[in-house]
């Protein structure tokens, strides 16, 4: 995978450009699993199995892929403890905790408008 490069200041970034690094980041984090994992981690440190238990329905493969992507983007830190078998823990980094605040707002928005969206969907299908 070729990662897009960013030069200049963040204020100069054109988020609407197809070749924008910001769009690549949006694509990475704007999926249900990434947001649910960020929300599940919160201020805690969790192991792989604990995260799988926290996020109902996520497969082993999707959990692995999303944790790697979050780590690659610097949002999650992976700590391997030298034990047998190795103990691996995940925690949010400072940018990940910043994104956690956004996910809290998204969860609040979802709770607030869930009834409205559900009613709209019922009306749309009628």
């Amino acid at each position: 995978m070729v990662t897009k490069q960013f030069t200049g200041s963040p204020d100069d970034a054109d988020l609407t450009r197809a070749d924008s690094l910001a769009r690549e980041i949006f694509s990475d984090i704007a999926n249900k699993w990434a947001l649910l994992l960020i929300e599940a981690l919160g201020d805690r440190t969790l192991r792989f199995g604990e995260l799988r238990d926290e996020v109902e329905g996520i497969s082993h493969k999707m959990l692995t892929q999303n944790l790697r992507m979050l780590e690659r983007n610097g949002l999650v830190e992976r700590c391997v403890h030298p034990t047998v078998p190795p103990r691996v823990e995940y925690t949010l980094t400072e940018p990940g905790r910043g994104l956690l605040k956004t996910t809290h707002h998204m969860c609040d928005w979802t709770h607030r408008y869930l009834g409205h969206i559900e009613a709209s969907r019922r009306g749309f299908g009628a």
Side-chain angles (χ1 to χ4, degrees):
M1 169 189 279
V2 176
T3 299
K4 294 169 178 54
Q5 300 296 313
F6 175 74
T7 57
S9 81
D11 294 334
D12 297 333
D14 184 353
L15 306 180
T16 62
R17 288 179 48 110
D19 63 349
S20 168
L21 176 59
R23 268 176 91 171
E24 184 177 309
I25 294 166
F26 290 163
S27 177
D28 282 350
I29 62 172
N31 76 69
K32 67 180 175 183
W33 299 125
L35 294 175
L36 290 171
L37 289 169
I38 290 166
E39 186 70 20
L41 276 168
D43 293 325
R44 304 180 293 170
T45 297
L46 296 174
R47 294 177 69 179
F48 187 92
E50 293 171 323
L51 274 167
R52 190 177 53 228
D53 292 344
E54 286 283 322
V55 181
E56 186 177 330
I58 193 167
S59 69
H60 183 94
K61 178 182 176 181
M62 290 309 299
L63 179 55
T64 299
Q65 287 177 350
N66 276 273
L67 285 171
R68 285 182 183 161
M69 174 274 298
L70 291 169
E71 184 181 10
R72 176 177 169 259
N73 284 314
L75 303 172
V76 168
E77 181 176 67
R78 179 177 181 262
C79 180
V80 180
H81 297 276
T83 59
V84 178
R87 189 178 85 225
V88 182
E89 296 176 329
Y90 299 90
T91 189
L92 292 178
T93 61
E94 189 269 321
R97 288 188 301 277
L99 185 56
L100 177 63
K101 293 176 186 174
T102 300
T103 63
H104 285 328
H105 290 297
M106 292 177 69
C107 289
D108 291 345
W109 176 88
T110 303
H111 285 119
R112 182 175 183 179
Y113 292 106
L114 193 61
H116 172 82
I117 293 167
E118 184 180 41
S120 180
R121 286 181 172 193
R122 277 195 310 268
F124 190 82

PDB file of all heavy atoms in Angstrom, residues 35 38-39 97-113:
ATOM      1  N   LEU A  35     -14.351   2.884  14.703  1.00  0.00           N
ATOM      2  CA  LEU A  35     -14.997   3.759  15.678  1.00  0.00           C
ATOM      3  C   LEU A  35     -15.420   2.983  16.930  1.00  0.00           C
ATOM      4  O   LEU A  35     -15.271   3.478  18.048  1.00  0.00           O
ATOM      5  CB  LEU A  35     -16.198   4.464  15.047  1.00  0.00           C
ATOM      6  CG  LEU A  35     -15.851   5.450  13.930  1.00  0.00           C
ATOM      7  CD1 LEU A  35     -17.113   5.995  13.281  1.00  0.00           C
ATOM      8  CD2 LEU A  35     -14.974   6.582  14.441  1.00  0.00           C
ATOM      9  N   ILE A  38     -12.246   2.253  19.004  1.00  0.00           N
ATOM     10  CA  ILE A  38     -11.802   3.456  19.707  1.00  0.00           C
ATOM     11  C   ILE A  38     -12.691   3.701  20.923  1.00  0.00           C
ATOM     12  O   ILE A  38     -12.209   3.970  22.020  1.00  0.00           O
ATOM     13  CB  ILE A  38     -11.779   4.667  18.754  1.00  0.00           C
ATOM     14  CG1 ILE A  38     -10.646   4.499  17.746  1.00  0.00           C
ATOM     15  CG2 ILE A  38     -11.642   5.977  19.523  1.00  0.00           C
ATOM     16  CD1 ILE A  38     -10.715   5.430  16.564  1.00  0.00           C
ATOM     17  N   GLU A  39     -13.982   3.552  20.730  1.00  0.00           N
ATOM     18  CA  GLU A  39     -14.929   3.739  21.832  1.00  0.00           C
ATOM     19  C   GLU A  39     -14.702   2.671  22.913  1.00  0.00           C
ATOM     20  O   GLU A  39     -14.738   2.969  24.105  1.00  0.00           O
ATOM     21  CB  GLU A  39     -16.373   3.683  21.298  1.00  0.00           C
ATOM     22  CG  GLU A  39     -17.429   4.008  22.310  1.00  0.00           C
ATOM     23  CD  GLU A  39     -17.458   5.465  22.739  1.00  0.00           C
ATOM     24  OE1 GLU A  39     -16.932   6.344  22.034  1.00  0.00           O
ATOM     25  OE2 GLU A  39     -18.019   5.739  23.817  1.00  0.00           O
ATOM     26  N   ARG A  97      -6.953   9.431  21.697  1.00  0.00           N
ATOM     27  CA  ARG A  97      -7.847   9.976  22.728  1.00  0.00           C
ATOM     28  C   ARG A  97      -8.561  11.223  22.206  1.00  0.00           C
ATOM     29  O   ARG A  97      -9.712  11.488  22.567  1.00  0.00           O
ATOM     30  CB  ARG A  97      -7.084  10.268  24.012  1.00  0.00           C
ATOM     31  CG  ARG A  97      -6.679   8.996  24.758  1.00  0.00           C
ATOM     32  CD  ARG A  97      -6.085   9.272  26.122  1.00  0.00           C
ATOM     33  NE  ARG A  97      -4.890  10.112  26.096  1.00  0.00           N
ATOM     34  CZ  ARG A  97      -3.650   9.680  25.867  1.00  0.00           C
ATOM     35  NH1 ARG A  97      -3.432   8.401  25.656  1.00  0.00           N
ATOM     36  NH2 ARG A  97      -2.634  10.515  25.869  1.00  0.00           N
ATOM     37  N   GLY A  98      -7.888  11.984  21.344  1.00  0.00           N
ATOM     38  CA  GLY A  98      -8.555  13.133  20.718  1.00  0.00           C
ATOM     39  C   GLY A  98      -9.696  12.676  19.826  1.00  0.00           C
ATOM     40  O   GLY A  98     -10.778  13.270  19.825  1.00  0.00           O
ATOM     41  N   LEU A  99      -9.470  11.600  19.080  1.00  0.00           N
ATOM     42  CA  LEU A  99     -10.524  11.048  18.235  1.00  0.00           C
ATOM     43  C   LEU A  99     -11.638  10.434  19.079  1.00  0.00           C
ATOM     44  O   LEU A  99     -12.801  10.456  18.687  1.00  0.00           O
ATOM     45  CB  LEU A  99      -9.945  10.006  17.270  1.00  0.00           C
ATOM     46  CG  LEU A  99     -10.899   9.422  16.244  1.00  0.00           C
ATOM     47  CD1 LEU A  99     -11.554  10.513  15.397  1.00  0.00           C
ATOM     48  CD2 LEU A  99     -10.158   8.426  15.358  1.00  0.00           C
ATOM     49  N   LEU A 100     -11.301   9.925  20.243  1.00  0.00           N
ATOM     50  CA  LEU A 100     -12.301   9.371  21.156  1.00  0.00           C
ATOM     51  C   LEU A 100     -13.352  10.426  21.502  1.00  0.00           C
ATOM     52  O   LEU A 100     -14.547  10.121  21.580  1.00  0.00           O
ATOM     53  CB  LEU A 100     -11.631   8.847  22.428  1.00  0.00           C
ATOM     54  CG  LEU A 100     -12.543   8.304  23.519  1.00  0.00           C
ATOM     55  CD1 LEU A 100     -13.306   7.076  23.032  1.00  0.00           C
ATOM     56  CD2 LEU A 100     -11.721   7.977  24.764  1.00  0.00           C
ATOM     57  N   LYS A 101     -12.918  11.652  21.683  1.00  0.00           N
ATOM     58  CA  LYS A 101     -13.873  12.734  21.980  1.00  0.00           C
ATOM     59  C   LYS A 101     -14.871  12.883  20.833  1.00  0.00           C
ATOM     60  O   LYS A 101     -16.069  13.077  21.055  1.00  0.00           O
ATOM     61  CB  LYS A 101     -13.134  14.054  22.213  1.00  0.00           C
ATOM     62  CG  LYS A 101     -12.292  14.056  23.465  1.00  0.00           C
ATOM     63  CD  LYS A 101     -11.510  15.338  23.594  1.00  0.00           C
ATOM     64  CE  LYS A 101     -10.563  15.265  24.781  1.00  0.00           C
ATOM     65  NZ  LYS A 101      -9.696  16.423  24.870  1.00  0.00           N
ATOM     66  N   THR A 102     -14.386  12.766  19.610  1.00  0.00           N
ATOM     67  CA  THR A 102     -15.264  12.856  18.447  1.00  0.00           C
ATOM     68  C   THR A 102     -16.219  11.668  18.407  1.00  0.00           C
ATOM     69  O   THR A 102     -17.406  11.829  18.107  1.00  0.00           O
ATOM     70  CB  THR A 102     -14.435  12.922  17.145  1.00  0.00           C
ATOM     71  OG1 THR A 102     -13.601  14.079  17.206  1.00  0.00           O
ATOM     72  CG2 THR A 102     -15.313  12.986  15.919  1.00  0.00           C
ATOM     73  N   THR A 103     -15.730  10.477  18.726  1.00  0.00           N
ATOM     74  CA  THR A 103     -16.617   9.312  18.719  1.00  0.00           C
ATOM     75  C   THR A 103     -17.681   9.439  19.803  1.00  0.00           C
ATOM     76  O   THR A 103     -18.812   9.000  19.601  1.00  0.00           O
ATOM     77  CB  THR A 103     -15.855   7.977  18.872  1.00  0.00           C
ATOM     78  OG1 THR A 103     -15.203   7.924  20.127  1.00  0.00           O
ATOM     79  CG2 THR A 103     -14.870   7.773  17.749  1.00  0.00           C
ATOM     80  N   HIS A 104     -17.336  10.048  20.940  1.00  0.00           N
ATOM     81  CA  HIS A 104     -18.342  10.294  21.974  1.00  0.00           C
ATOM     82  C   HIS A 104     -19.459  11.184  21.417  1.00  0.00           C
ATOM     83  O   HIS A 104     -20.648  10.921  21.636  1.00  0.00           O
ATOM     84  CB  HIS A 104     -17.745  10.966  23.210  1.00  0.00           C
ATOM     85  CG  HIS A 104     -16.934  10.080  24.084  1.00  0.00           C
ATOM     86  ND1 HIS A 104     -17.171   8.740  24.264  1.00  0.00           N
ATOM     87  CD2 HIS A 104     -15.855  10.355  24.845  1.00  0.00           C
ATOM     88  CE1 HIS A 104     -16.299   8.234  25.105  1.00  0.00           C
ATOM     89  NE2 HIS A 104     -15.479   9.191  25.466  1.00  0.00           N
ATOM     90  N   HIS A 105     -19.080  12.225  20.678  1.00  0.00           N
ATOM     91  CA  HIS A 105     -20.079  13.121  20.080  1.00  0.00           C
ATOM     92  C   HIS A 105     -20.934  12.364  19.063  1.00  0.00           C
ATOM     93  O   HIS A 105     -22.148  12.563  18.995  1.00  0.00           O
ATOM     94  CB  HIS A 105     -19.416  14.329  19.418  1.00  0.00           C
ATOM     95  CG  HIS A 105     -18.814  15.293  20.382  1.00  0.00           C
ATOM     96  ND1 HIS A 105     -19.557  15.995  21.302  1.00  0.00           N
ATOM     97  CD2 HIS A 105     -17.531  15.675  20.573  1.00  0.00           C
ATOM     98  CE1 HIS A 105     -18.762  16.764  22.031  1.00  0.00           C
ATOM     99  NE2 HIS A 105     -17.521  16.580  21.602  1.00  0.00           N
ATOM    100  N   MET A 106     -20.300  11.498  18.290  1.00  0.00           N
ATOM    101  CA  MET A 106     -21.045  10.717  17.302  1.00  0.00           C
ATOM    102  C   MET A 106     -22.017   9.759  17.987  1.00  0.00           C
ATOM    103  O   MET A 106     -23.155   9.580  17.531  1.00  0.00           O
ATOM    104  CB  MET A 106     -20.089   9.963  16.387  1.00  0.00           C
ATOM    105  CG  MET A 106     -19.300  10.878  15.472  1.00  0.00           C
ATOM    106  SD  MET A 106     -18.120   9.978  14.459  1.00  0.00           S
ATOM    107  CE  MET A 106     -19.219   9.108  13.374  1.00  0.00           C
ATOM    108  N   CYS A 107     -21.592   9.139  19.065  1.00  0.00           N
ATOM    109  CA  CYS A 107     -22.481   8.243  19.824  1.00  0.00           C
ATOM    110  C   CYS A 107     -23.640   9.029  20.424  1.00  0.00           C
ATOM    111  O   CYS A 107     -24.795   8.576  20.375  1.00  0.00           O
ATOM    112  CB  CYS A 107     -21.701   7.510  20.912  1.00  0.00           C
ATOM    113  SG  CYS A 107     -20.567   6.263  20.269  1.00  0.00           S
ATOM    114  N   ASP A 108     -23.353  10.201  20.977  1.00  0.00           N
ATOM    115  CA  ASP A 108     -24.414  11.051  21.530  1.00  0.00           C
ATOM    116  C   ASP A 108     -25.414  11.447  20.441  1.00  0.00           C
ATOM    117  O   ASP A 108     -26.624  11.405  20.647  1.00  0.00           O
ATOM    118  CB  ASP A 108     -23.828  12.314  22.171  1.00  0.00           C
ATOM    119  CG  ASP A 108     -23.044  12.027  23.445  1.00  0.00           C
ATOM    120  OD1 ASP A 108     -23.184  10.908  24.002  1.00  0.00           O
ATOM    121  OD2 ASP A 108     -22.278  12.912  23.870  1.00  0.00           O
ATOM    122  N   TRP A 109     -24.892  11.820  19.264  1.00  0.00           N
ATOM    123  CA  TRP A 109     -25.739  12.196  18.138  1.00  0.00           C
ATOM    124  C   TRP A 109     -26.616  11.022  17.736  1.00  0.00           C
ATOM    125  O   TRP A 109     -27.820  11.179  17.507  1.00  0.00           O
ATOM    126  CB  TRP A 109     -24.867  12.643  16.961  1.00  0.00           C
ATOM    127  CG  TRP A 109     -25.653  12.946  15.724  1.00  0.00           C
ATOM    128  CD1 TRP A 109     -26.212  14.136  15.381  1.00  0.00           C
ATOM    129  CD2 TRP A 109     -25.978  12.028  14.671  1.00  0.00           C
ATOM    130  NE1 TRP A 109     -26.861  14.018  14.168  1.00  0.00           N
ATOM    131  CE2 TRP A 109     -26.724  12.737  13.724  1.00  0.00           C
ATOM    132  CE3 TRP A 109     -25.683  10.686  14.439  1.00  0.00           C
ATOM    133  CZ2 TRP A 109     -27.207  12.149  12.558  1.00  0.00           C
ATOM    134  CZ3 TRP A 109     -26.169  10.093  13.284  1.00  0.00           C
ATOM    135  CH2 TRP A 109     -26.923  10.818  12.349  1.00  0.00           C
ATOM    136  N   THR A 110     -26.027   9.820  17.675  1.00  0.00           N
ATOM    137  CA  THR A 110     -26.777   8.624  17.291  1.00  0.00           C
ATOM    138  C   THR A 110     -27.907   8.356  18.275  1.00  0.00           C
ATOM    139  O   THR A 110     -29.049   8.112  17.865  1.00  0.00           O
ATOM    140  CB  THR A 110     -25.836   7.403  17.205  1.00  0.00           C
ATOM    141  OG1 THR A 110     -24.794   7.691  16.270  1.00  0.00           O
ATOM    142  CG2 THR A 110     -26.587   6.157  16.770  1.00  0.00           C
ATOM    143  N   HIS A 111     -27.612   8.427  19.570  1.00  0.00           N
ATOM    144  CA  HIS A 111     -28.651   8.211  20.574  1.00  0.00           C
ATOM    145  C   HIS A 111     -29.758   9.262  20.464  1.00  0.00           C
ATOM    146  O   HIS A 111     -30.942   8.950  20.585  1.00  0.00           O
ATOM    147  CB  HIS A 111     -28.055   8.223  21.985  1.00  0.00           C
ATOM    148  CG  HIS A 111     -27.308   6.981  22.314  1.00  0.00           C
ATOM    149  ND1 HIS A 111     -25.967   6.989  22.619  1.00  0.00           N
ATOM    150  CD2 HIS A 111     -27.702   5.680  22.368  1.00  0.00           C
ATOM    151  CE1 HIS A 111     -25.577   5.752  22.856  1.00  0.00           C
ATOM    152  NE2 HIS A 111     -26.600   4.940  22.704  1.00  0.00           N
ATOM    153  N   ARG A 112     -29.350  10.484  20.230  1.00  0.00           N
ATOM    154  CA  ARG A 112     -30.322  11.578  20.175  1.00  0.00           C
ATOM    155  C   ARG A 112     -31.278  11.444  18.991  1.00  0.00           C
ATOM    156  O   ARG A 112     -32.471  11.725  19.109  1.00  0.00           O
ATOM    157  CB  ARG A 112     -29.585  12.915  20.102  1.00  0.00           C
ATOM    158  CG  ARG A 112     -30.495  14.101  20.091  1.00  0.00           C
ATOM    159  CD  ARG A 112     -29.711  15.386  20.143  1.00  0.00           C
ATOM    160  NE  ARG A 112     -30.619  16.522  20.193  1.00  0.00           N
ATOM    161  CZ  ARG A 112     -30.220  17.754  20.266  1.00  0.00           C
ATOM    162  NH1 ARG A 112     -28.935  18.046  20.316  1.00  0.00           N
ATOM    163  NH2 ARG A 112     -31.091  18.733  20.296  1.00  0.00           N
ATOM    164  N   TYR A 113     -30.757  11.029  17.830  1.00  0.00           N
ATOM    165  CA  TYR A 113     -31.564  11.028  16.608  1.00  0.00           C
ATOM    166  C   TYR A 113     -31.957   9.637  16.118  1.00  0.00           C
ATOM    167  O   TYR A 113     -32.552   9.511  15.041  1.00  0.00           O
ATOM    168  CB  TYR A 113     -30.822  11.784  15.499  1.00  0.00           C
ATOM    169  CG  TYR A 113     -30.720  13.254  15.808  1.00  0.00           C
ATOM    170  CD1 TYR A 113     -29.510  13.816  16.204  1.00  0.00           C
ATOM    171  CD2 TYR A 113     -31.841  14.079  15.734  1.00  0.00           C
ATOM    172  CE1 TYR A 113     -29.420  15.165  16.510  1.00  0.00           C
ATOM    173  CE2 TYR A 113     -31.752  15.424  16.039  1.00  0.00           C
ATOM    174  CZ  TYR A 113     -30.542  15.959  16.424  1.00  0.00           C
ATOM    175  OH  TYR A 113     -30.469  17.286  16.732  1.00  0.00           O
TER     176      TYR A 113
END
